[in-house]
């Protein structure tokens, strides 16, 4: 198993270091521009302009409020939410299928254990998702540090700026447990993305890479319109968490559903590769 995982890390993860570096850079720039912009807007409106690292994590992963059809206001899907799902879909969508038609086929034939090859791809999938989010987190922290150096502001406190949230989201978050919110923001998107990535990878083998891309983007978009732990994309949107919305999703529910679906996908994939003609 170890050599399969090492091969996947070498061929499918390490070679993508420049993508993770770009994610760090883009995340840092986005946070820096946001901090400068929102600070000016809050100051001009005589509102609290003291920002924190929690504000930056919230901004990046805020997502959208619960969709309620009123016929008046247009509902817009968060660009950050869509971009993250698209980039991750691209990272997940290329390597596994390409490997199964190239070097990976030799591993399956010579190793005579297709289950290990498939399980290695599942491990690669999880690690790709984790490194993707670590890159975003590092970018957020880098942008926060640069803003601190420019503004000389104290940003290293765990306070969510209520005025900032009200201004950009038109939403009240008074009384929110910010420590717990930060934990939700750090772990729930990872759990949700692992599930979507597993589903994409399996569908890519069963029906082709394009179909895999389409399914995962449809799932992400549908999650924007349905607030339920079964609409797994809700785990990536802070405004859908039960901490901010009494009817929102709970971490325990999202993680439980993620585990169940992940094991199901792993099981189905294992059966598929045991029966697949690879010669």
């Amino acid at each position: 198993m170890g050599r399969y995982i090492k091969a996947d890390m070498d061929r499918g993860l390490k070679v993508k270091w420049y993508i993770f570096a770009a994610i760090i850079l883009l995340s840092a720039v986005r946070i820096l521009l946001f901090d400068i912009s929102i600070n000016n807007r809050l100051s001009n409106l005589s509102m609290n302009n003291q920002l924190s690292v929690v504000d930056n994590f919230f901004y990046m992963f805020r997502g959208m409020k619960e969709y309620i059809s009123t016929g008046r206001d247009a509902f817009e899907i968060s660009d950050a939410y869509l971009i993250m799902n698209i980039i991750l879909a691209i990272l997940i969508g290329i390597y596994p299928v390409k490997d199964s038609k190239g070097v990976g086929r030799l591993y399956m034939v010579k190793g005579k254990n297709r289950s290990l090859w498939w399980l290695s791809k599942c491990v690669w999938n999880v690690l790709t998702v984790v490194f993707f989010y670590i890159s975003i987190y590092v970018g957020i922290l880098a942008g926060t540090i640069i803003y601190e150096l420019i503004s000389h502001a104290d940003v290293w406190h765990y306070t969510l700026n209520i005025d900032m949230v009200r201004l950009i989201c038109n939403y009240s978050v008074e009384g929110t447990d910010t420590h717990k919110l930060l934990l939700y923001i750090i772990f729930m998107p990872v759990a949700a993305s692992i599930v979507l990535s597993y589903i994409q990878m399996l569908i890519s083998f069963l029906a082709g890479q394009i179909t895999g891309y389409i399914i995962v983007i449809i799932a992400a978009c549908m999650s924007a319109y349905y607030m339920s732990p079964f609409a797994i994309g809700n785990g990536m949107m802070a405004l859908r968490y039960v901490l901010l919305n009494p009817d929102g999703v709970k971490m325990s529910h999202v993680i439980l559903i993620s585990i169940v679906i992940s094991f199901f996908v792993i099981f189905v994939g294992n059966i598929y590769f045991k029966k697949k003609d690879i010669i």
Side-chain angles (χ1 to χ4, degrees):
M1 180 69 172
R3 68 190 183 95
Y4 286 89
I5 295 175
K6 184 179 183 303
D8 283 332
M9 295 306 100
D10 291 339
R11 297 197 307 271
L13 194 59
K14 290 181 180 179
V15 295
K16 296 177 180 176
W17 65 268
Y18 59 92
I19 297 179
F20 295 114
I23 292 171
I24 292 173
L25 178 61
L26 292 174
S27 298
V29 171
R30 186 181 180 96
I31 288 300
L32 179 60
L33 293 177
F34 165 72
D35 284 349
I36 294 173
S37 173
I38 199 66
N39 178 279
N40 291 333
R41 290 175 63 188
L42 291 168
S43 297
N44 292 336
L45 293 170
S46 299
M47 302 170 80
N48 176 21
N49 66 344
Q50 298 301 309
L51 302 175
S52 73
V53 65
V54 176
D55 294 320
N56 288 337
F57 272 90
F58 173 83
Y59 167 72
M60 189 68 86
F61 292 98
R62 68 193 185 283
M64 299 77 68
K65 294 184 292 184
E66 178 184 5
Y67 172 70
I68 300 175
S69 180
T70 62
R72 294 193 303 270
D73 299 327
F75 181 74
E76 296 182 0
I77 298 179
S78 165
D79 62 334
Y81 170 77
L82 272 182
I83 291 170
M84 281 190 278
N85 276 287
I86 291 171
I87 293 176
L88 187 55
I90 293 171
L91 281 171
I92 296 296
I94 299 174
Y95 171 69
V97 174
K98 180 181 178 181
D99 188 65
S100 71
K101 297 176 181 178
V103 178
R105 177 180 295 178
L106 297 177
Y107 271 81
M108 283 189 278
V109 172
K110 291 183 178 180
K112 297 181 181 180
N113 194 326
R114 302 181 187 187
S115 293
L116 287 181
W117 183 88
W118 167 245
L119 290 175
S120 178
K121 290 295 176 289
C122 292
V123 173
W124 167 85
N125 195 308
V126 171
L127 291 176
T128 299
V129 172
V130 169
F131 275 99
F132 172 76
Y133 278 103
I134 287 176
S135 299
I136 295 175
Y137 301 156
V138 170
I140 292 173
L141 294 175
T144 303
I145 291 172
I146 296 172
Y147 173 73
E148 178 189 29
L149 295 174
I150 294 173
S151 65
H152 304 289
D154 176 20
V155 296
W156 303 108
H157 53 91
Y158 296 95
T159 305
L160 188 61
N161 188 315
I162 296 173
D163 289 337
M164 179 273 294
V165 177
R166 187 179 293 116
L167 184 61
I168 68 172
C169 302
N170 191 27
Y171 199 81
S172 176
V173 292
E174 293 186 43
T176 301
D177 184 338
T178 52
H179 289 81
K180 187 176 289 187
L181 176 62
L182 190 57
L183 289 177
Y184 266 63
I185 289 174
I186 290 174
F187 291 108
M188 280 184 52
V190 176
S193 290
I194 287 173
V195 175
L196 286 177
S197 297
Y198 270 160
I199 293 171
Q200 179 192 352
M201 184 170 68
L202 179 61
I203 292 175
S204 294
F205 284 119
L206 297 177
Q209 290 167 285
I210 299 300
T211 306
Y213 287 126
I214 292 173
I215 293 298
V216 77
I217 297 304
I218 289 176
C221 291
M222 285 183 64
S223 296
Y225 290 91
Y226 298 97
M227 192 171 72
S228 165
F230 292 99
I232 203 67
N234 282 278
M236 306 176 199
M237 297 182 268
L239 289 169
R240 304 285 180 92
Y241 297 163
V242 70
L243 297 175
L244 301 180
N245 185 327
D247 299 318
V249 296
K250 296 181 180 179
M251 181 185 289
S252 57
H253 293 170
V254 170
I255 291 179
L256 178 60
I257 291 170
S258 299
I259 291 173
V260 171
I261 296 177
S262 295
F263 275 108
F264 175 75
V265 170
I266 292 170
F267 175 75
V268 173
N270 189 44
I271 293 176
Y272 170 75
F273 278 104
K274 280 185 176 180
K275 296 182 177 181
K276 179 179 172 62
D277 182 8
I278 59 174
I279 304 300

